[in-house]
Amino acid sequence: HTAVHGPDADGRTYGIVRDGAVSGSLADRFRTYSVTRSPGRVTMAVDGIVVSTYTRADLPPGAPWVFDKPMYVVFDIAAGGEWPGPITPETPDISTMAIDWMRFWK
């Protein structure tokens, strides 16, 4: 599951979501995640396999393309909310995220 979030034509936020196929569990070993930006395009991959691509054509009508501007990275373990839904008794009490390294370049 990947997403980009930006402002719509009225300044409210939107999210565009893509689901991509990855073989096996994402939790069984370290994975390499990548986000590659080029003018007018954002591509996301897992272990070198592209799982989603976003372009200007994907934006809501009138929304500005903001993804060529400086960005920041967010690592989180989200639970509840609009996606994936409310917390239930089956939701694990403890979740962890192990990040071995992060690299970025221009």
Side-chain angles (χ1 to χ4, degrees), residues 1-3 17-23 26 31-36 42-54:
H1 179 86
T2 65
V17 177
R18 300 271 193 275
D19 290 324
V22 176
S23 61
L26 293 176
R31 300 289 187 147
T32 301
Y33 297 86
S34 67
V35 177
T36 304
V42 176
T43 302
M44 299 180 189
V46 178
D47 295 333
I49 299 168
V50 172
V51 294
S52 61
T53 299
Y54 302 90

Side-chain angles (χ1 to χ4, degrees), residues 40-102:
R41 178 177 302 271
V42 176
T43 302
M44 299 180 189
V46 178
D47 295 333
I49 299 168
V50 172
V51 294
S52 61
T53 299
Y54 302 90
T55 67
R56 283 183 168 92
D58 298 316
L59 299 183
W65 179 261
V66 297
F67 305 108
D68 293 335
K69 296 180 180 184
M71 301 175 127
Y72 57 91
V73 176
V74 175
F75 296 102
D76 75 1
I77 300 175
E82 186 177 325
W83 184 91
I87 294 174
T88 67
E90 291 77 34
T91 303
D93 288 334
I94 299 173
S95 296
T96 59
M97 178 186 298
I99 299 172
D100 187 36
W101 55 269
M102 183 198 149

Side-chain angles (χ1 to χ4, degrees), residues 6-29:
D8 69 11
D10 297 323
R12 294 180 303 241
T13 59
Y14 66 84
I16 303 171
V17 177
R18 300 271 193 275
D19 290 324
V22 176
S23 61
S25 169
L26 293 176
D28 64 353
R29 61 187 170 89

